[in-house]
Amino acid sequence: HTHGNHAFVFGFEIARRQFNGFRSDSTRPYINFVATADNSAITNLRLGLPYSMVEDIGNLSAGFRSWDMSYYAGDTWHAAANLTVSYGLRYQPSPAPYEVNHPGVIPYKCDCNNLAPQVGLAYRLPGASGVLRAGYGLQYGPILASTYAWIRSNPPANMVQAIQQPDLIQALTAAAGTSFSGASQGRQFFTLLDPHLVLPYSDQYNFSWERELRGSWHVQLGYVGSRTFKLIQQRSINRGLIGPGLTLTEATVDARRPDPRYASIRDLWNGSDAWYNAALANLFLPRWKGLHVDVSYWFSKAMDDGSSFADQGPLQQADSQWEYERHRDLRGRSDFDQPHSFRARVSYETPSPASAKRWVRALAAGWNISTIGLLKSGTPFSVFSGSDAQGYGNVDGTPWDRPMLLNLAVLGRTIGNPDTSRLLLPASAFAYITPGMTAGNLGRNVFRKGPIRNVNASVARRFPVSKEKPLTIRAESINLFNTPQFAAPDYMRTDSSFGAITNTLNNGRSLRLAASFEF
């Protein structure tokens, strides 16, 4: 509704969601062989020494139902010839989902106090000094079905049974059709949803200055930031106790658990915060004699205290070393942190000179040549010990302890070349913790993978075969210069291949030629 200098908007959205699924990853037992301080995972497989065996028992189908809704009202106010202000308010209640097969399994209630204000302004400075823009908004994120659906494996309807160091002879000779052969000696996994679980939310803010330079060039300088609260996080509780007078070996983990009915209890709660700050510079040439240029540079920092993809389900690598100390142990650079990011996009359309011959214009004019180049810092990764001490395994039942750092010179290194990775990340720089210690002193995400260097390019032209029936020919290349982006090295200290890079994160150069005819 438009009234004077105001343009009011209002509306709502209501969606009904259904999530149906079946947990089939371990309906037949699976056996885990992992590296220990004495043997590699392959050696333990050959010797028949498994770390654990897990099986799902029960009706593992799920049918979750939920409502999503939001209501919005706002206004764009042209306060003056050189000032525009927009503001609004969104209300986003989040009713708790429910499961049609097992009523009452979702313990939290409706999160119904989610008011999200937002405001923005644009102000044109006097003369040719440019335009200032600023904005703030409060945004809510969802609790995804892939998070709360983990409870489908909980008793009494279902059970995920685990045995530490099972007897393979007993396990593999069980009669067909019987239940888990080692159920009597195993423990159940349990997923606990916090009864006070609410939507994560984020304060997002930005500020920029833009000015037109000579010709058609534009420059933009700005800042973008956010502070995010109550991100959903997993914490593994009910670990094997560590203390004086206890036999600290991997074989006694279950006997030392506070609740003997369960193995690890996965607790999902609003336990993490995150911070993001970025300075940016953009340079634009919208169009000049067929040439378009867009260059951007971002300098940023992203940190959190253990929120790594928790909305997609629990991620063990994001767990703390010790059950009773999380935030200080996990605080570090986010898994997606990339301090430097440079992008350049250039496109050019070949002209059609009037002085050229007709056949030259027909062949050479109208081709669109475009390329995009990307240079970015590598993302961080952590190093894990894989064992608490030589010959002791993981005495608290979780394998994601970090080692003790012996050589400070390796901190902050970028490990991005397979030829030098083991020299830059030597095993001798790290030591195992001693039995009874709860954590190593190495921080989270203190190393980086190699940088990203990628160029894509394309050439295309549209030929008018007949009226409204064009033929388009396009040739393009992804990763034009065939530059590899290497994955993180082997980060488990117990592995014989520790520090070695064995894979890439991207594909090699690809070429594609396409033709399309519209009619």
Side-chain angles (χ1 to χ4, degrees):
H1 175 71
T2 301
H3 179 76
N5 293 331
H6 296 268
F8 299 100
V9 294
F10 51 89
F12 66 92
E13 179 181 32
I14 300 177
R16 172 69 166 174
R17 299 191 182 276
Q18 294 190 185
F19 175 74
N20 300 319
F22 180 77
R23 183 184 174 89
S24 59
D25 59 343
S26 52
T27 51
R28 295 186 177 183
Y30 69 81
I31 303 170
N32 296 322
F33 294 87
V34 301
T36 62
D38 298 321
N39 301 315
S40 68
I42 294 297
T43 301
N44 283 329
L45 172 64
R46 297 175 64 185
L47 295 176
L49 300 175
Y51 171 74
S52 65
M53 183 163 67
V54 181
E55 183 185 28
D56 289 355
I57 303 171
N59 177 17
L60 299 177
S61 61
F64 291 97
R65 306 291 182 265
S66 63
W67 288 96
D68 288 346
M69 57 189 70
S70 63
Y71 307 86
Y72 176 80
D75 174 30
T76 300
W77 174 33
H78 297 283
N82 62 342
L83 176 63
T84 300
V85 180
S86 61
Y87 54 93
L89 182 67
R90 180 183 297 272
Y91 175 52
Q92 190 174 337
S94 178
Y98 67 92
E99 214 282 330
V100 296
N101 298 318
H102 310 292
V105 295
I106 304 292
Y108 59 89
K109 306 301 180 183
C110 177
D111 184 12
C112 293
N113 61 347
N114 301 329
L115 293 173
Q118 59 185 30
V119 61
L121 61 89
Y123 176 69
R124 181 173 295 279
L125 297 170
S129 300
V131 177
L132 295 177
R133 291 184 172 88
Y136 165 81
L138 178 64
Q139 306 291 337
Y140 286 89
I143 303 175
L144 300 178
S146 55
T147 294
Y148 56 72
W150 281 84
I151 64 171
R152 75 176 85 172
S153 301
N154 283 350
N158 306 297
M159 180 172 63
V160 179
Q161 192 80 355
I163 296 179
Q164 294 293 125
Q165 299 178 317
D167 184 338
L168 281 184
I169 300 300
Q170 178 191 7
L172 300 178
T173 57
T178 62
S179 62
F180 194 27
S181 60
S184 61
Q185 58 173 307
R187 299 291 189 274
Q188 300 173 25
F189 283 106
F190 189 79
T191 298
L192 179 65
L193 289 180
D194 193 316
H196 304 293
L197 203 65
V198 295
L199 301 184
Y201 62 92
S202 179
D203 291 310
Q204 300 179 357
Y205 30 85
N206 64 80
F207 175 82
S208 67
W209 169 76
E210 181 177 342
R211 182 185 177 187
E212 183 173 340
L213 304 178
R214 289 186 176 183
S216 300
W217 287 95
H218 288 73
V219 64
Q220 182 186 46
L221 302 176
Y223 163 80
V224 175
S226 68
R227 176 74 183 268
T228 304
F229 304 90
K230 297 188 177 182
L231 287 166
I232 298 175
Q233 184 183 55
Q234 172 196 299
R235 54 183 175 184
S236 295
I237 59 179
N238 200 44
R239 304 185 189 183
L241 296 176
I242 300 175
L246 299 176
T247 303
L248 300 180
T249 67
E250 206 167 57
T252 64
V253 169
D254 285 339
R256 292 183 282 109
R257 295 189 189 276
D259 190 336
R261 297 174 299 170
Y262 302 111
S264 176
I265 297 177
R266 305 181 183 100
D267 185 16
L268 302 181
W269 66 311
N270 296 105
S272 178
D273 296 334
W275 306 264
Y276 178 77
N277 295 281
L280 60 97
N282 297 323
L283 185 65
F284 306 95
L285 177 61
R287 185 66 61 181
W288 178 74
K289 296 183 178 181
L291 179 66
H292 169 78
V293 179
D294 176 358
V295 179
S296 301
Y297 171 72
W298 291 61
F299 176 66
S300 64
K301 183 178 183 180
M303 294 190 66
D304 61 61
D305 43 26
S307 62
S308 304
F309 305 103
D311 259 334
Q312 300 300 325
L315 186 69
Q316 288 179 312
Q317 291 92 326
D319 211 345
S320 62
Q321 300 181 82
W322 190 37
E323 181 175 341
Y324 302 104
E325 176 56 71
R326 299 196 55 81
H327 289 163
R328 185 174 64 179
D329 181 65
L330 291 175
R331 181 163 296 190
R333 298 283 184 138
S334 300
D335 287 355
F336 55 85
D337 177 65
Q338 294 178 289
H340 301 281
S341 178
F342 174 82
R343 184 196 65 194
R345 294 186 294 189
V346 180
S347 65
Y348 177 69
E349 184 171 339
T350 58
S352 177
S355 59
K357 295 183 179 180
R358 183 176 180 181
W359 65 270
V360 173
R361 294 199 304 270
L363 292 178
W367 288 94
N368 184 277
I369 304 170
S370 62
T371 182
I372 177 170
L374 185 65
L375 302 175
K376 301 183 75 173
S377 304
T379 53
F381 69 92
S382 299
V383 167
F384 299 96
S385 62
S387 179
D388 291 340
Q390 289 291 117
Y392 278 85
N394 296 285
V395 298
D396 65 351
T398 58
W400 299 109
D401 294 320
R402 298 191 291 273
M404 302 295 292
L405 180 65
L406 301 179
N407 183 358
L408 292 176
V410 303
L411 279 179
R413 284 181 174 175
T414 295
I415 315 298
N417 189 326
D419 297 330
T420 61
S421 62
R422 304 192 79 168
L423 294 175
L424 294 175
L425 195 69
S428 59
F430 310 96
Y432 297 106
I433 60 177
T434 58
M437 293 182 64
T438 56
N441 64 1
L442 185 66
R444 167 178 166 257
N445 280 348
V446 295
F447 303 101
R448 288 191 180 275
K449 298 191 284 287
I452 296 173
R453 298 184 180 94
N454 187 64
V455 175
N456 301 332
S458 68
V459 178
R461 184 179 173 184
R462 191 179 178 94
F463 294 91
V465 177
S466 62
K467 186 178 181 180
E468 297 182 356
K469 294 181 180 180
L471 171 67
T472 301
I473 296 178
R474 179 180 178 87
E476 61 183 14
S477 174
I478 306 298
N479 192 7
L480 178 64
F481 298 113
N482 200 31
T483 305
Q485 179 193 345
F486 290 106
D490 187 333
Y491 48 70
M492 198 66 71
R493 175 63 178 80
T494 49
D495 292 350
S496 60
S497 59
F498 175 76
I501 296 177
T502 59
N503 205 353
T504 60
L505 299 176
N506 64 344
N507 297 320
R509 179 194 300 116
S510 66
L511 302 172
R512 183 168 65 178
L513 180 64
S516 63
F517 179 64
E518 301 177 28
F519 59 93

